[in-house]
Amino acid sequence: FGQPSYCCVCGQHILRGAFCGRCGLRAGERCLGRAERRFPCKETASGAAGPGGSAPHHWVRGNVPLCSCCAVCGQQCGTQPKLCDYRCAWCQYTVHDECMVDCLRTEECTFGEFKDLIIPPYYLSAINQMRKEKKTSFEKVVPYCRKHWMPIIILANTRSGNNMGETLLGEFKMLLNPVQVFDLSKIAPAEALQLCTLLPCNSARVLVCGGDGTVGWVLDAIDEMKIKGQERYIPQVAILPLGTGNDLSNTLGWGAGYAGEVPVEQILRNVMEADGIRLDRWKVQVTNKGYYNLRKPKVFTMNNYFSIGPDALMALNFHAHREKTPSLFSSRIINKAVYFFYGTKDCLVQECKDLNKKVELELDGERIELPNLEGIIVLNIGYWGGGCRLWEGMGDEPYPLARHDDGLLEVVGVHGSFHCAQIQVKLANPVRLGQAHTVRLILKSSKMPMQVDGEPWAQGPCTVTITHKTHAPMLYHSGEQTDDDASSLSE
């Protein structure tokens, strides 16, 4: 344990032992069996609702959070060097031993600050019973009928970015009902999102803890819900950025990367205050050239951007390197350093030169004359390359801001890896090629690197067609600093 801890059975100080990720109970290794038998954990589905949708407190003695205050007298709890004071595993209230009078032991818990996000244990039991009896009067179950109830579902990818997912899973399980928290390394998003069908229509919110790839995975599962006819249960999606680039997260105001600097409680408050918006999603169809090609075209869904050229080459090299030695890529700093290495290498080699001679570009059916370029980037969102506002550039020319909900794509060109680096530090502008509802790109000869939302591959002669697919319901947080200067400074 990283802080002074005491065994809940014998009360002795312990350095090593067992910790419950749901209720926070701690026990020494020798007392673990007795702790299992003596102390029930907080239940995910049981019991009946009290008045106003309350439930009994679940008091856990000792090891209260640092700097917590007593709900009765207001003084600091957990200051004595022994097993002392109580904490409720649902509402997180803390109470001194001497303030824990009989009325508090029998008092009903209202689930505290996050009552509008928690799925109470009695709710799931009641809904399950109604389904068995083939009743549909879910509205009678509290808090189904409560006006501001917005139950949250946590989907965490423990393999993203700095490997913080495991810690976050435990912290969210402590604050919420554990049944609301899912580890995406053990369960697919499509399966986890079926919990939404037990909740009021269009009320659920989902917090995706991971990179842009994880967010795309969850949005694909939401599209599956539409196909299944579950459109009225579709949740709104917020993001806790754990990946390397996190451009979609940055665009929607959730920041360029999370490293534990914001408490989990504040993250939940931000989700509660966030506003609903729409995000354009695009269909990218890649059809190989040749009369004898019988393979089906490759189809991708794009949220962020498509590119051909040096940044796709860097992603391809990075991806190949990570496949060989995945254990080295557990840090966001190391990931960015590897990208920097491959970008520097391409400045010298220039593998993608003369792209304008190999490619034809059409915007809404109109052929565009290309200058001398090495890369083309098609943008749906404002941020690109880990925190750079590509379309607006340095701001020396009056270009309108790129939007993620206007049904338009922004298309730009770059002269090479060095030009990409200059753009990112605001020393150059991209070559703006135009905006369009439909983008068509024809690769006439040779093999070129391509990527869709960070998923790269090497592609031979083909036709790439990008058309609008659907909208995704997202949550926008206006309170987060999203300026690329601030994000690069924090990195």
Side-chain angles (χ1 to χ4, degrees):
F1 296 109
Q3 64 187 66
S5 299
Y6 300 89
C7 175
C8 64
V9 178
C10 65
Q12 296 297 310
H13 181 263
I14 49 175
L15 294 174
R16 294 175 60 85
F19 170 79
C20 176
R22 294 184 173 196
C23 66
L25 201 76
R26 300 185 183 198
E29 292 172 344
R30 285 183 292 182
C31 297
L32 182 57
R34 279 186 288 168
E36 287 271 18
R37 291 189 297 271
R38 190 187 297 181
F39 301 106
C41 191
K42 70 176 183 181
E43 296 176 309
T44 58
S46 69
S54 58
H57 281 292
H58 184 98
W59 294 112
V60 177
R61 186 151 188 256
N63 305 305
V64 299
L66 300 174
C67 303
S68 56
C69 294
C70 177
V72 177
C73 68
Q75 299 298 312
Q76 188 173 344
C77 286
T79 54
Q80 300 179 54
K82 64 177 183 178
L83 187 77
C84 63
D85 304 337
Y86 290 86
R87 176 185 59 84
C88 174
W90 285 112
C91 64
Q92 310 305 319
Y93 283 0
T94 52
V95 181
H96 288 124
D97 286 329
E98 54 271 23
C99 296
M100 178 60 83
V101 291
D102 289 340
C103 64
L104 271 177
R105 291 185 188 277
T106 57
E107 185 185 64
E108 293 289 300
C109 175
T110 58
F111 298 101
E113 180 183 2
F114 302 115
K115 64 180 182 294
D116 287 334
L117 298 178
I118 292 173
I119 300 176
Y122 61 76
Y123 174 83
L124 292 174
S125 297
I127 295 294
N128 191 39
Q129 187 61 35
M130 283 186 174
R131 284 192 157 191
K132 284 180 183 176
E133 296 170 2
K134 297 185 178 177
K135 294 179 181 177
T136 54
S137 52
F138 296 164
E139 294 80 6
K140 294 179 182 177
V141 183
V142 182
Y144 195 106
C145 52
R146 201 164 68 211
K147 187 177 180 183
H148 299 293
W149 192 43
M150 52 178 87
I152 190 170
I153 297 171
I154 310 293
L155 303 178
N157 187 349
T158 53
R159 295 171 185 161
S160 287
N162 288 352
N163 292 332
M164 289 200 63
E166 200 73 47
T167 305
L168 287 166
L169 280 171
E171 292 186 20
F172 282 123
K173 282 179 181 177
M174 292 274 285
L175 293 172
L176 306 169
N177 189 333
V179 82
Q180 298 171 247
V181 184
F182 295 93
D183 182 352
L184 292 182
S185 66
K186 297 177 181 175
I187 186 170
E191 199 175 335
L193 289 173
Q194 288 306 298
L195 180 58
C196 296
T197 62
L198 301 177
L199 303 170
C201 298
N202 304 122
S203 67
R205 296 190 167 196
V206 167
L207 177 64
V208 181
C209 308
D212 287 348
T214 307
V215 178
W217 190 20
V218 173
L219 294 182
D220 287 341
I222 288 175
D223 285 345
E224 285 180 34
M225 291 179 71
K226 294 178 186 176
I227 295 168
K228 290 177 183 175
Q230 298 173 342
E231 191 140 5
R232 59 194 176 130
Y233 298 113
I234 284 176
Q236 294 175 303
V237 179
I239 306 170
L240 183 62
L242 302 182
T244 304
N246 305 312
D247 290 304
L248 179 58
S249 167
N250 216 356
T251 299
L252 299 180
W254 297 102
Y258 178 75
E261 67 279 4
V262 179
V264 170
E265 292 86 351
Q266 186 58 46
I267 293 166
L268 292 177
R269 291 183 200 112
N270 292 344
V271 175
M272 290 171 75
E273 295 164 3
D275 301 314
I277 57 156
R278 296 197 311 171
L279 172 73
D280 289 326
R281 303 192 78 211
W282 299 82
K283 176 184 173 184
V284 181
Q285 184 168 303
V286 182
T287 308
N288 292 322
K289 276 193 173 181
Y291 294 107
Y292 304 107
N293 180 28
L294 301 176
R295 285 183 297 175
K296 287 183 180 178
K298 286 187 255 184
V299 178
F300 304 89
T301 301
M302 181 184 90
N303 303 311
N304 299 2
Y305 35 73
F306 163 87
S307 69
I308 176 171
D311 71 321
L313 179 63
M314 281 188 279
L316 186 62
N317 287 330
F318 174 85
H319 188 73
H321 204 134
R322 185 165 61 177
E323 288 288 307
K324 287 180 186 175
T325 51
S327 58
L328 292 176
F329 293 82
S330 60
S331 163
R332 192 180 290 134
I333 299 296
I334 291 174
N335 293 354
K336 286 181 180 275
V338 174
Y339 260 102
F340 175 75
F341 166 75
Y342 283 120
T344 308
K345 178 185 170 188
D346 187 57
C347 287
L348 304 173
V349 179
Q350 292 184 306
E351 291 185 37
C352 303
K353 62 182 178 181
D354 298 326
L355 179 74
N356 50 301
K357 296 176 183 176
K358 303 169 186 174
V359 161
E360 290 180 10
L361 177 67
E362 293 179 8
L363 302 183
D364 287 337
E366 183 180 340
R367 173 87 178 272
I368 303 297
E369 286 298 323
L370 296 175
N372 185 21
L373 296 173
E374 284 191 32
I376 294 172
I377 303 163
V378 182
L379 297 153
N380 178 45
I381 60 176
Y383 283 90
W384 163 86
C388 169
R389 293 200 72 95
L390 185 61
W391 176 253
E392 292 90 51
M394 292 191 297
D396 57 347
E397 300 171 49
Y399 272 85
L401 293 175
R403 292 183 60 87
H404 46 263
D405 59 354
D406 57 359
L408 278 174
L409 294 164
E410 287 74 37
V411 186
V412 300
V414 292
H415 295 303
S417 294
F418 188 65
H419 186 208
C420 288
Q422 286 180 307
I423 293 168
Q424 288 190 313
V425 294
K426 295 189 174 182
L427 291 177
N429 277 325
V431 180
R432 297 180 182 89
L433 301 172
Q435 292 177 297
H437 297 91
T438 303
V439 175
R440 193 160 174 261
L441 191 144
I442 302 165
L443 178 60
K444 295 181 285 189
S445 61
S446 77
K447 196 174 250 193
M448 293 292 289
M450 293 183 181
Q451 69 153 339
V452 173
D453 290 354
E455 293 297 323
W457 73 98
Q459 177 65 49
C462 67
T463 300
V464 179
T465 309
I466 306 175
T467 52
H468 194 269
K469 180 182 179 183
T470 185
H471 288 105
M474 306 297 290
L475 288 167
Y476 180 85
H477 177 49
S478 55
E480 186 77 26
Q481 172 64 272
T482 59
D483 183 63
D484 45 315
D485 285 338
S487 65
S488 62
L489 186 64
S490 68
E491 289 295 340

